[in-house]
Amino acid sequence: MPQSYEYDVLIIGSGAAGLTVALNLPEHLKICVVSKADISSGATLWAQGGIAAVLDDQDSTENHVQDTLAAGGGLCNEKAVRFTVENSKESIKWLIGTGVNFTRDTDAQLHLTREGGHSHRRIIHAADATGYAVSTTLTAQAQARPNIELRSGRVAVDLITNRKLALPGNRCVGAYILNLEDNHVELFRARFTVIATGGASKAYRYTTNPDGASGDGIAMAWRAGCRVADMEFNQFHPTCLYHPHAKSFLITEAVRGEGGLLKLPDGSRFMDRFDKRGELAPRDIVARAIDHEMKRLGADHLYLDISHKSAEFIRHHFPTIYEKCLEFGIDITREPIPVVPAAHYTCGGVVSDERARTDINQLYVVGEAGFTGLHGANRMASNSLLECLVYGRAAAADITRREADIPPPPDAPAWDESQVRDSDEDVVISHNWDELRHFMWDYVGIVRTTKRLQRAKHRVDLLAAEISEFYSNYRVTNDLLELRNLVTVSDLIICSALQRKESRGLHYTLDYPGLLHEARDTVLIPTTYRTPSP
């Protein structure tokens, strides 16, 4: 029989955001962290660059704020930016206290690097594998806490709310979660629920993200009645390793920060023609420049060259990239790295406030799944892990303040599998998945037009109807759930992009190349939305 569980706090997602919440909650609370695959399998694990924070005497909070606002294309919420930056030092101090081993100079001072859009060196890092260091350390800390249960092989199906239970109020009381080991849907009830599921970059054919980045939390929150905002701003990382056997391996922006040069096939540079900052321009500008030159030349890829630096310097600063490229026969100390842009980060998400609260009571969202207003129209490098830490700690603080006043969750029915059957048409799911990611890449990619977006909208509507029929009649599987969520978030991306009649930040359309005078967020409101209580 499917299992039923009850917790004080249910956290869906085990990356930096979710584990930060768990580790900052009081130890008398019963906490469960669920993860699709291994606990350390999310996007955090693969983050190479680092975490932005004001840690140097030559830097200042105001500098970091202004750099973020500039990168955000006039759309950042300045209050959210200041809140994040002002809490950066304390958050890094907490992270160091957990045992993360950051790179230090010969005098034992933290080594700070610089990335695109930053006016100062303020990126704290663990060589070129910061995410790995953060993820493994936080996971070990969580495993050591007796009040924290870590459950892997679990895929969230849908949130459970008072509305779904036909009860008064606007409260989240847990989630239905598929156990991949026995393929049964389990009931997880909780006083507080936290979405920390990451972004939706798997909607695109080429991405730097792990397979689980299918927008699950965003889609579930939308279906439950939460607003989403700025979903049109999909960040494409300019430099993903281009090789037929390399699966979505990212070449960190820090390579350009440390002097790496972008080059055409003939070895000539080109970034200076697009931006006076050259290789250190914000990511959206660099990605569009590479995309433009690839289309102009009919090239499959361009190059990123740091071979003019000493071999010792390269191996010390970028050991992971050096070793990975060597696996594919590329010696980056002697030759340039073939690169191509790839979907990397979802700047929009579920609307939340400075306490990480959503539109539904006792439901929080942290990390890439959320929309705080920090990133605006373009996320600045290394602000994402910082957002995970700051808002993860803010969510934990808010839950801690409120936990004594929130009653246990009400009873909820077990998942009903009596009216469905196993599917013998897995090929349909596979085909639809492939079709979705192809038309999202072709029609809703780095450069857009209204006609392309309308074509994408027509196709996503057809897919949504097919998936709805499939979901109603067949037993749920991981592939079906991910495809259902990807169709939902793709529709949100397309609808948001169609509403924005300008080119701003990461949203660039040939039909509206200029900026509107007033910068406004694109906020989508579901039919199930209720005005949140104070």
Side-chain angles (χ1 to χ4, degrees):
M1 290 292 292
Q3 296 293 311
S4 176
Y5 304 95
E6 182 179 341
Y7 298 95
D8 292 309
V9 184
L10 170 65
I11 300 172
I12 306 173
S14 61
L19 292 178
T20 295
V21 177
L23 291 170
N24 279 275
L25 287 169
E27 295 193 27
H28 68 268
L29 294 179
K30 186 180 180 183
I31 302 163
C32 181
V33 179
V34 297
S35 174
K36 277 187 181 180
D38 293 337
I39 294 298
S40 296
S41 62
T44 298
L45 188 72
W46 303 103
Q48 295 176 355
I51 308 170
V54 179
L55 301 170
D56 187 84
D57 292 340
Q58 302 301 313
D59 199 5
S60 69
T61 295
E62 193 61 31
N63 286 335
H64 192 172
V65 168
Q66 293 306 319
D67 289 346
T68 301
L69 294 176
L75 204 59
C76 295
N77 180 326
E78 186 170 345
K79 184 180 178 183
V81 174
R82 291 191 179 277
F83 174 78
T84 306
V85 174
E86 287 169 358
N87 284 279
S88 64
K89 192 170 185 177
E90 193 63 30
S91 295
I92 293 296
K93 182 179 177 182
W94 169 79
L95 192 59
I96 292 173
T98 66
V100 177
N101 188 21
F102 289 106
T103 299
R104 295 180 181 269
D105 292 323
T106 53
D107 60 356
Q109 295 298 310
L110 289 167
H111 179 268
L112 302 176
T113 190
R114 181 182 172 193
E115 297 182 352
H118 291 275
S119 60
H120 291 72
R121 285 182 172 266
R122 64 168 70 100
I123 314 300
I124 184 175
H125 62 104
D128 61 347
T130 305
Y132 179 85
V134 171
S135 181
T136 54
T137 301
L138 295 187
T139 298
Q141 289 281 335
Q143 288 171 334
R145 296 274 184 96
N147 67 312
I148 300 176
E149 291 183 21
L150 303 176
R151 293 184 178 272
S152 57
R154 300 300 205 285
V155 180
V157 179
D158 262 323
L159 299 171
I160 305 171
T161 61
N162 278 15
R163 182 179 60 83
K164 287 185 179 180
L165 300 177
L167 296 173
N170 183 30
R171 177 187 177 192
C172 181
V173 295
Y176 289 111
I177 295 177
L178 174 66
N179 185 334
L180 295 179
E181 289 185 6
D182 60 17
N183 290 318
H184 285 296
V185 176
E186 300 171 337
L187 171 63
F188 282 70
R189 293 183 300 126
R191 294 198 291 149
F192 300 90
T193 302
V194 181
I195 292 172
T197 51
S201 287
K202 290 299 284 189
Y204 288 94
R205 183 181 179 189
Y206 301 112
T207 174
T208 64
N209 283 203
D211 289 338
S214 47
D216 300 342
I218 299 171
M220 288 191 302
W222 170 260
R223 289 193 292 266
C226 292
R227 294 168 297 163
V228 300
D230 287 3
M231 288 295 291
E232 69 270 36
F233 297 117
N234 312 100
Q235 187 171 71
F236 289 81
H237 197 286
T239 53
C240 186
L241 176 62
Y242 181 84
H243 190 279
H245 303 302
K247 186 179 180 181
S248 307
F249 185 74
L250 181 152
I251 306 299
T252 174
E253 193 154 356
V255 172
R256 286 182 283 125
E258 294 294 343
L261 303 174
L262 286 165
K263 294 182 177 180
L264 301 176
D266 65 4
S268 62
R269 293 179 62 194
F270 60 92
M271 274 309 305
D272 289 342
R273 289 191 276 111
F274 293 89
D275 193 282
K276 63 182 180 181
R277 291 165 288 189
E279 277 77 8
L280 290 179
R283 290 177 175 178
D284 60 323
I285 295 173
V286 178
R288 276 201 303 274
I290 294 174
D291 183 69
H292 178 273
E293 290 300 296
M294 285 172 56
K295 289 176 178 174
R296 182 178 69 84
L297 298 171
D300 291 329
H301 63 278
L302 298 183
Y303 294 93
L304 177 59
D305 191 2
I306 197 169
S307 62
H308 52 279
K309 293 280 191 175
S310 72
E312 181 183 3
F313 175 91
I314 293 170
R315 284 193 290 263
H316 175 71
H317 283 272
F318 307 110
T320 306
I321 295 172
Y322 172 74
E323 292 294 339
K324 176 61 72 171
C325 287
L326 270 186
E327 290 179 18
F328 301 111
I330 304 164
D331 184 350
I332 68 173
T333 66
R334 296 172 175 268
E335 58 190 316
I337 307 166
V339 293
V340 65
H344 182 58
Y345 193 87
T346 306
C347 287
V350 181
V351 173
S352 66
D353 62 14
E354 286 182 0
R355 296 170 293 185
R357 293 186 182 186
T358 69
D359 292 327
I360 299 176
N361 296 332
Q362 285 82 65
L363 177 66
Y364 296 76
V365 61
V366 289
E368 192 175 351
F371 168 78
T372 63
L374 170 65
H375 305 304
N378 181 25
R379 176 183 72 96
M380 190 168 68
S382 293
N383 270 352
S384 51
L385 281 176
L386 177 62
E387 183 182 40
C388 291
L389 301 176
V390 171
Y391 283 87
R393 284 161 56 82
D398 196 62
I399 292 172
T400 302
R401 282 194 298 269
R402 303 172 64 207
E403 62 98 0
D405 300 323
I406 303 301
D411 291 334
W415 184 260
D416 184 6
E417 296 180 343
S418 62
Q419 304 300 313
V420 297
R421 61 189 185 276
D422 289 324
S423 169
D424 58 359
E425 293 289 344
D426 290 345
V427 66
V428 176
I429 295 176
S430 176
H431 174 81
N432 287 353
W433 180 291
D434 218 33
E435 181 186 351
L436 175 73
R437 298 182 72 202
H438 271 79
F439 75 64
M440 285 296 290
W441 182 263
D442 291 338
Y443 299 151
V444 200
I446 296 173
V447 177
R448 302 163 177 175
T449 66
T450 300
K451 183 175 287 187
R452 291 176 192 169
L453 293 172
Q454 289 170 341
R455 286 174 177 163
K457 176 61 177 166
H458 175 67
R459 282 160 174 77
V460 84
D461 286 345
L462 293 174
L463 281 182
E466 280 192 25
I467 296 306
S468 177
E469 187 271 338
F470 227 79
Y471 182 78
S472 299
N473 292 288
Y474 296 107
R475 196 179 305 278
V476 295
T477 64
N478 180 44
D479 287 347
L480 176 58
L481 292 175
E482 288 191 339
L483 179 59
R484 178 187 184 222
N485 291 330
L486 280 173
V487 167
T488 297
V489 294
S490 295
D491 189 41
L492 295 173
I493 292 168
I494 295 163
C495 290
S496 298
L498 281 167
Q499 287 192 27
R500 189 165 292 281
K501 308 297 185 184
E502 63 170 347
S503 289
R504 184 182 295 275
L506 299 166
H507 175 74
Y508 186 80
T509 169
L510 296 175
D511 294 320
Y512 303 97
L515 281 172
L516 293 176
H517 293 300
E518 184 179 359
R520 290 187 177 181
D521 293 314
T522 305
V523 181
L524 302 181
I525 303 175
T527 56
T528 49
Y529 172 76
R530 297 182 188 177
T531 302
S533 59

